Amino acid sequence: MTLTERPVTLVTGAASGIGAATARLLLDAGHRVAVTGRDAARLEAFTATLPDDDVGRLRVHVADASVQADVERAVADTVTAFGRLDAVVANAGFSTHDDVATGDPDAWRAMLDVNVLGPALLVRAALPHLREARGRIVMVGSVAGIRNTPGNMYSVTKWATRALAENTRLLTVPDGVGVTLVSPGRVDTDFWAGRGGTPSGPVLGPDDVARTIVWTLAQPADVALDEVVVRPLGQL
């Protein structure tokens, strides 16, 4: 396979955690990869961990997943640099770790923008290229989007992500574009920093979820994989 024949995948929120692990595994699998994140220093630190050969197949974008112009710029730059776009992974997201009784509505608004508007903006920007490639879309949801918990606004955003994934699937069926929602359970990442650290109990590592995402992207073109739930053994 020549360099220009290698698949091209864009991953949002890839400075750390699941996004960074996914980008690393995609590079290991031979993909050319574009990553986005809001923090330039964290993106630089991520890039510094990669072998030189991988860096040559990487594009890095300081971009906010909830800002239309940033998303469109990242997609356009990726296509210009690599000549195509085969897949996107809408991974960027965060939690306010509060509830509807005590939380901050301004923080909810920011969370809704990143967790729900962000994947929609990515689909909107990338879809013409994915239709051309008959590519794939992965949206990172959460077990919180399958099970309700008391007053959990983060859960609300992930239920919305689940609906967005299915609505996007229905939209793109005629185009041969696959759409998969990958819903992780508890994962040991910086996601929990605002809550004082990862809760006790069974936990996955970022690589566990990343392997699931990369496996999803590697499915044959005629296989539709709508939803995958991956959680640590022992988590309810």
Side-chain angles (χ1 to χ4, degrees):
M1 182 184 295
T2 67
L3 183 61
T4 57
E5 291 173 329
R6 293 175 185 265
V8 176
T9 302
L10 187 155
V11 184
T12 66
S16 63
I18 293 170
T22 300
R24 286 191 188 94
L25 289 182
L26 287 169
L27 288 165
D28 289 346
H31 286 234
R32 292 172 288 167
V33 178
V35 297
T36 75
R38 291 187 288 188
D39 189 320
R42 295 182 77 186
L43 285 169
E44 185 176 350
F46 161 70
T47 304
T49 67
L50 300 174
D52 290 344
D53 288 349
D54 285 353
V55 172
R57 291 183 284 114
L58 180 73
R59 298 290 293 181
V60 178
H61 308 283
V62 179
D64 187 326
S66 68
V67 175
Q68 181 179 350
D70 283 8
V71 175
E72 291 177 348
R73 174 175 50 80
V75 169
D77 178 82
T78 300
V79 174
T80 298
F82 293 140
R84 57 196 270 191
L85 181 61
D86 299 282
V88 295
V89 179
N91 168 72
F94 73 96
S95 175
T96 54
H97 299 294
D98 57 15
D99 60 46
V100 295
T102 61
D104 177 1
D106 288 334
W108 298 344
R109 189 171 290 110
M111 180 171 61
L112 284 162
D113 280 349
V114 173
N115 294 7
V116 183
L117 180 62
L121 291 173
L122 182 60
V123 169
R124 185 179 187 275
L127 194 52
H129 308 289
L130 298 176
R131 282 172 166 154
E132 182 177 350
R134 296 179 69 85
R136 288 192 180 269
I137 299 165
V138 171
M139 296 187 192
V140 178
S142 172
V143 167
I146 299 169
R147 297 185 63 199
N148 285 300
T149 53
N152 186 345
M153 280 298 293
Y154 172 74
S155 178
V156 171
T157 70
K158 290 305 182 177
W159 279 88
T161 304
R162 194 178 188 196
L164 176 62
E166 176 61 8
N167 289 344
T168 303
R169 185 189 72 80
L170 293 172
L171 174 69
T172 60
V173 162
D175 306 311
V177 175
V179 181
T180 306
L181 177 72
V182 174
S183 295
R186 192 181 296 115
V187 186
D188 185 15
T189 69
D190 290 346
F191 172 88
W192 300 103
R195 191 176 161 177
T198 305
S200 60
V203 66
L204 296 172
D207 283 349
D208 296 317
V209 183
R211 280 191 291 270
T212 303
I213 293 170
V214 174
W215 172 78
T216 297
L217 293 174
Q219 293 304 299
D222 59 349
V223 172
L225 192 61
D226 299 344
E227 184 170 0
V228 180
V229 179
V230 52
R231 54 184 135 196
L233 190 65
Q235 181 181 351
L236 298 176

